[in-house]
Amino acid sequence: MDDLKFGTRNKRGDWAPTARAEIAPFWAWPPQGLKVLKWLVGYVWPWNAFHMATALLYWYYIVPDVETMKTLSWGWALWLYAVNGAGIFVMYGAIEFFYYVKRRQGTRFKYNAKFPADTPSDVFWFKSQNIDNFLRTYLSGIPMWTLVEVLMLWAFANGYAPWVSWSDHPVYLAFLVFIAPAIHEVHFFFIHRAIHWPPLYKWVHSVHHNSINPSPWSSLSMHPVETFIYHAMAFWHLVIPSNPIIGLFQLHMAGYGAVNGHIGFDKLELTEDTTLDSHAYLHYLHHKYFEVNYGGDGLIPLDKWLGTWHDGSKEGQAQMEARFEQKVARMNARHNP
Ligand SMILES: [Zn+2]
Ligand SMILES: [Zn+2]
C-alpha cells in the first residue's frame, strides 16, 4: 500500500501522517452527528471489542471459581501470571515478529525509519532494546499486572467491594463498560503526569522512556512502581459499584492495550488492501518529545485543556516549542535573578 497517500516522509525516512490528530468529536459544538457516529464505530471496533472479548474469555475459562479466590495463594496467582504472559507473548510477539523481525511492510507507515534492533545502545540491558524491554515485561510489567488482578478478584470474591450483577442492573453495567476507556484515559493521564515530575521521572519513569523509538516490547517495559500504579486503574471497580468482568476489561485495556501507543507504525498492513489503525501516533510523539501528550487519544482531552496537546501538525510543533522556550526562560530567571 502506498503510504504517501496518507502522509509524508522526511529526509531521514521518517513517515508522518498528514491528517492531524483530533480529540473525540462529541466535544465539538455544534454537534457533529455523522462524525460522532463514525467515531463511535472506531471507539468500539476493533480494540475495545478485543479487550472485552478477552475479559469474557478470562472470566469464563481462566479465572478460578469464587470459592478459590477467597484465599490468596501462589497457585492461582501463578496460573494467572502464566496466562497473562502467554497472551502477551502471542499478541506482542506476533506484531514484533511480522513487523520488526520479518519486516513484512518494511518502513511503510513507520514513524521512525530505524528499527531498534539495528541501533544498540548502552542505556539497555545487554545493549539491546528488544532484550531489555522483553525481560522487563516479564520481570516487572506482567507480575504487577497480575498482582493487581489477584488483589481485585480476591476483593470481589470476599465481598470487600460492591459486586453488581448483570441481571439486576444491566443498563448501569453497560454504561460502566462504555465509559471504562474514559476511566483509563483520566487515570493514565494523572499518574503519567505525576511520574514526569523530575524526582519521580528519574527514579521510576525514565525506564520506560529509554525507548525513544518504541516497539511492541516497549509497551510494558516499565519500573515496577509504574506498572503497578498503571494497572491499578482496575481498582476503580472496587470503589464504584461494579462487576469483576468490567474490572478485567479495564485491566486488559491497560495490559493488552499498552501496545497501541508503541506499535511504531500508523497502520499495520494485514492484507493487500486491509489495514489496522494502531492509534500510536500521539504516544509516539510523547516518546519523541517527552513533555507532550501525557494522555491517550483525546477521549477526555486533558492534554488539550492543559496545553500539552501535540496533534502532529506544524502548529502543534510550534506550540510545543514555544512552551519549551518559556520553560527555559523561567528556569534561567530562577537561576540568575
Ligand atoms: Zn510509552
Ligand atoms: Zn512519559
Side-chain angles (χ1 to χ4, degrees):
M1 190 175 274
D2 182 7
D3 61 354
L4 295 178
K5 279 189 187 145
F6 300 88
T8 51
R9 184 165 272 110
N10 68 14
K11 282 200 292 286
R12 270 184 311 232
D14 300 345
W15 183 90
T18 318
R20 57 167 74 185
E22 287 181 33
I23 61 169
F26 60 77
W27 293 104
W29 192 263
Q32 305 175 308
L34 206 67
K35 224 171 157 183
V36 173
L37 271 180
K38 234 178 108 185
W39 171 87
L40 262 179
V41 176
Y43 181 65
V44 176
W45 188 260
W47 295 104
N48 283 329
F50 171 78
H51 300 316
M52 184 39 106
T54 56
L56 290 168
L57 202 75
Y58 269 56
W59 183 249
Y60 289 107
Y61 296 102
I62 309 288
V63 169
D65 57 52
V66 174
E67 232 17 74
T68 310
M69 294 193 297
K70 278 188 178 154
T71 324
L72 291 172
S73 90
W74 283 105
W76 62 276
L78 288 172
W79 160 243
L80 289 177
Y81 174 82
V83 175
N84 292 337
I88 287 298
F89 189 81
V90 171
M91 184 188 182
Y92 289 17
I95 301 175
E96 182 81 30
F97 180 75
F98 288 116
Y99 297 91
Y100 282 81
V101 180
K102 291 278 171 208
R103 303 186 188 179
R104 59 179 300 210
Q105 72 181 56
T107 56
R108 288 196 297 281
F109 296 105
K110 193 166 186 316
Y111 306 131
N112 187 319
K114 289 205 176 93
F115 284 88
D118 301 339
T119 43
S121 160
D122 281 334
V123 302
F124 299 113
W125 289 344
F126 309 107
K127 295 194 178 185
S128 158
Q129 180 175 327
N130 285 333
I131 299 176
D132 174 284
N133 288 184
F134 179 85
L135 288 175
R136 286 184 194 276
T137 299
Y138 283 88
L139 294 174
S140 139
I142 300 171
M144 289 299 147
W145 162 3
T146 310
L147 178 63
V148 169
E149 186 175 28
V150 165
L151 291 175
M152 177 188 77
L153 291 169
W154 168 80
F156 269 120
N158 283 291
Y160 300 149
W163 181 334
V164 180
S165 81
W166 291 93
S167 49
D168 290 343
H169 297 284
V171 177
Y172 167 71
L173 289 182
F175 172 73
L176 261 194
V177 170
F178 190 73
I179 64 156
I183 297 177
H184 176 99
E185 185 146 348
V186 174
H187 179 98
F188 177 59
F189 181 92
F190 285 106
I191 60 146
H192 188 192
R193 186 67 195 82
I195 53 179
H196 268 267
W197 179 53
L200 285 180
Y201 181 85
K202 230 178 123 189
W203 175 45
V204 173
H205 193 43
S206 58
V207 172
H208 182 64
H209 271 288
N210 281 338
S211 308
I212 291 164
N213 175 18
S215 74
W217 289 121
S218 313
S219 315
L220 291 176
S221 171
M222 302 171 186
H223 188 280
V225 170
E226 180 174 356
T227 33
F228 184 80
I229 56 174
Y230 172 59
H231 288 99
M233 65 177 69
F235 289 157
W236 286 108
H237 296 275
L238 303 177
V239 181
I240 43 179
S242 187
N243 181 287
I245 295 178
I246 308 178
L248 286 170
F249 174 51
Q250 192 81 58
L251 201 54
H252 289 193
M253 236 183 285
Y256 290 109
V259 78
N260 283 106
H262 307 93
I263 286 179
F265 292 84
D266 204 55
K267 292 177 192 294
L268 296 178
E269 297 173 4
L270 302 178
T271 64
E272 280 281 288
D273 40 32
T274 352
T275 56
L276 178 66
D277 284 340
S278 66
H279 298 266
Y281 196 49
L282 289 168
H283 195 68
Y284 170 76
L285 292 175
H286 177 73
H287 276 265
K288 191 170 175 193
Y289 299 120
F290 300 87
E291 291 170 33
V292 292
N293 301 344
Y294 294 104
D297 262 1
L299 172 61
I300 307 290
L302 288 158
D303 280 300
K304 186 102 181 174
W305 296 333
L306 297 172
T308 48
W309 179 250
H310 188 334
D311 61 4
S313 66
K314 278 204 182 84
E315 293 77 23
Q317 186 73 14
Q319 233 172 48
M320 176 188 78
E321 278 161 13
R323 200 158 46 82
F324 287 177
E325 270 165 32
Q326 274 171 11
K327 190 176 166 187
V328 171
R330 268 203 314 274
M331 272 160 59
N332 285 341
R334 212 178 299 149
H335 293 303
N336 316 300

